[in-house]
Every structure is written in structure tokens, then in C-alpha cells.
Amino acid sequence: MNFLVDFDKYMDGSVEDIPARLVQIIKDENITKKVIDAYISLYPTKVYKNLYVTGVVYAIA
């Protein structure tokens, strides 16, 4: 989730498929909604937005 704090600066077009890579990492590491829920409150509000922008929220649903 640390990456999602500064996600906007990585979306400058220099790196392709960041959302797809994040989803794959979540699947590979078996990160569940329960795990995300346990830590999400420790992060800034923009992390919530970035979970939706990247599609990560759908990978953990």
C-alpha cells in the first residue's frame, strides 16, 4: 500500500501496466480484503482512491 500513496507520480506514462502488475502481485501474494482492511486506516485517504483507480479493489473483492 505504500506504493499507492505516491501512485500518481508513477503514472506519468513511463511505466506501462502498473495497475495490471499490482493486481498480479495481490493475486500472487494472496492478499485479501481482510488484510487490506487491517492496514488501510494507517494510510492517507488518497490510497482509497488509488485502490479504485488501479483496479486493485476489484482484485481483492
Side-chain angles (χ1 to χ4, degrees):
M1 283 192 287
N2 289 331
F3 175 78
L4 292 172
V5 173
D6 297 319
F7 177 74
D8 297 333
K9 74 180 180 183
Y10 297 103
M11 290 302 291
D12 64 359
S14 62
V15 179
E16 296 179 22
D17 285 339
I18 290 175
R21 289 182 188 184
L22 286 173
V23 168
Q24 190 60 51
I25 290 168
I26 289 199
K27 289 179 180 180
D28 290 347
E29 297 297 324
N30 295 316
I31 298 171
T32 63
K33 184 179 182 312
K34 186 175 181 178
V35 171
I36 297 290
D37 289 346
Y39 295 100
I40 193 73
S41 65
L42 302 173
Y43 290 86
T45 306
K46 70 180 180 178
V47 171
Y48 288 97
K49 174 188 162 246
N50 290 339
L51 284 171
Y52 283 93
V53 169
T54 60
V56 168
V57 71
Y58 306 112
I60 61 171

